[in-house]
Amino acid sequence: MTILITGATGNAGGAVAQSLAAQGIPGRGLVRTATRLPAGIAPVPGDLNRPETFADALSGVTGIFLLSGYERLDELLANAVRAGVRKIVVLSSSSLDGEVTNAVAGYHHATEEAVRAAGLEWTFLRPNSFMSNTLRWRDQLRAGDEVRVQFPDVPVSTIHPGDIGDVAVRALRGAHDSAVLRLTGPVALTPVEQVAILAEALGRPLTAYPMSRAETHAELHATMPEPYAAAIESFFGDGTIDETSVNTTVADVTGHPARTLQSWAQENRALFG
Ligand SMILES: NC(=O)c1ccc[n+]([C@@H]2O[C@H](COP(=O)([O-])OP(=O)(O)OC[C@H]3O[C@@H](n4cnc5c(N)ncnc54)[C@H](OP(=O)(O)O)[C@@H]3O)[C@@H](O)[C@H]2O)c1
């Protein structure tokens, strides 16, 4: 068994690489620039938007951990079928719980549908927002002790990327074929509560500034393309997504409880330095 991990330098793909390495399963990590990956995971150069750049690297690969939303996916999947790949585990999202009415849900839906049609085994992972999203506060934390938080009253059961990695590896090993796995963290926390947990891990007195809806709207539209900003506002401002509920899928699949934000913050405190 050899796995190709896309997004291997990122939060989720990096966790898949770590989980594979910890289990001694050989892997290849798709990277755009030279980098070191966990022992046993060989970097292979390639661009997800240009499937021809890593077609040869699919030789001998049995499973792919696939990020959503890239171009020319049909070509990538045709290359995978030709190479004898058996299983694709897609990193999709909780946004597919409801109607596919916005840009974020749209690209996850398109990816799931293309993989469904490819004739390979598949598992779709639909996680909540990641605990690693708190890294978006890093610049503010470097500048001072106040964190401006969007949607301050909306609790989210954010998920530890390591749990996504562990679930993905189970699926890549052949479990949960044709399953859609909705993944949550262990407890729903408002952004204000998340800041308090981060403060404890960092040993700093942090305060959360609750941004108004108008401030949030302005910030979102200043920092990302309009369709994505509108999707985020619809999810958390208008409540078209439910990331508050907690389920037991991580524990059911992996045999260990979903990890807490406290443990993620302790493990990653150096990143906020
Ligand atoms: N964050 C959330 O709350 C959340 C929730 C649900 C689903 N998701 C999904 O999870 C995905 C991954 O999230 P993440 O936090 O792991 O992201 P991340 O840390 O930003 O990592 C993104 C990864 O994708 C790679 N990448 C980007 N463009 C590429 C390309 N054209 N070709 C090859 N590799 C490319 C990056 O490689 P480089 O090192 O070269 O940049 C990096 O390894 C998101 O894009 C989203 O679709 C996220």
Side-chain angles (χ1 to χ4, degrees), residues 5-271:
I5 307 157
T6 66
T9 58
N11 297 303
V16 176
Q18 278 182 5
S19 190
L20 273 183
Q23 296 179 49
I25 300 169
R28 300 173 193 166
L30 191 72
V31 295
R32 290 189 290 182
T33 51
T35 188
R36 284 188 62 188
L37 296 175
I41 310 298
V44 295
D47 183 334
L48 262 174
N49 287 320
R50 297 169 57 221
E52 73 280 7
T53 58
F54 60 97
D56 292 346
L58 293 175
S59 173
V61 166
T62 49
I64 300 178
F65 176 75
L66 181 66
L67 300 191
S68 278
Y70 290 87
E71 296 164 17
R72 296 167 55 195
L73 178 57
D74 288 346
E75 288 173 49
L76 187 165
L77 293 169
N79 292 344
V81 170
R82 255 195 310 276
V85 172
R86 291 197 293 274
K87 177 87 184 251
I88 309 266
V89 175
V90 176
L91 181 59
S92 181
S93 113
S94 61
S95 59
L96 293 190
D97 276 357
E99 295 284 305
V100 181
T101 52
N102 64 54
V104 172
Y107 78 71
H108 287 296
H109 178 69
T111 301
E112 287 193 3
E113 289 306 295
V115 170
R116 254 185 232 276
L120 300 160
E121 297 291 355
W122 52 263
T123 303
F124 299 153
L125 309 184
R126 293 184 179 175
N128 277 3
S129 299
F130 302 171
M131 291 177 182
S132 45
N133 291 353
T134 55
L135 289 167
R136 293 176 189 155
W137 296 332
R138 187 160 42 182
D139 288 347
Q140 296 186 67
L141 290 172
R142 286 181 178 151
D145 291 331
E146 183 180 83
V147 185
R148 293 165 60 84
V149 296
Q150 301 172 348
F151 311 111
D153 301 324
V154 181
V156 172
S157 51
T158 57
I159 184 164
H160 193 305
D163 289 339
I164 298 173
D166 289 350
V167 170
V169 170
R170 293 279 169 154
L172 288 162
R173 295 184 79 157
H176 307 290
D177 285 349
S178 307
V180 175
L181 301 179
R182 185 69 182 81
L183 305 174
T184 81
V187 61
L189 300 163
T190 65
V192 176
E193 291 168 326
Q194 294 176 36
V195 169
I197 289 170
L198 208 49
E200 196 167 324
L202 300 180
R204 287 172 56 185
L206 302 178
T207 53
Y209 169 83
M211 294 172 72
S212 68
R213 180 71 186 262
E215 289 170 326
T216 298
H217 175 89
E219 185 173 271
L220 284 172
H221 285 262
T223 53
M224 61 181 76
E226 195 281 332
Y228 297 112
I232 304 293
E233 273 203 278
S234 144
F235 292 150
F236 300 108
D238 305 335
T240 61
I241 201 173
D242 173 18
E243 293 204 338
T244 298
S245 303
V246 169
N247 69 31
T248 61
T249 310
V250 166
D252 296 343
V253 170
T254 66
H256 65 69
R259 281 170 266 196
T260 62
L261 182 60
Q262 282 84 348
S263 77
W264 183 89
Q266 282 296 340
E267 292 156 21
N268 292 283
R269 53 201 299 253
L271 298 177

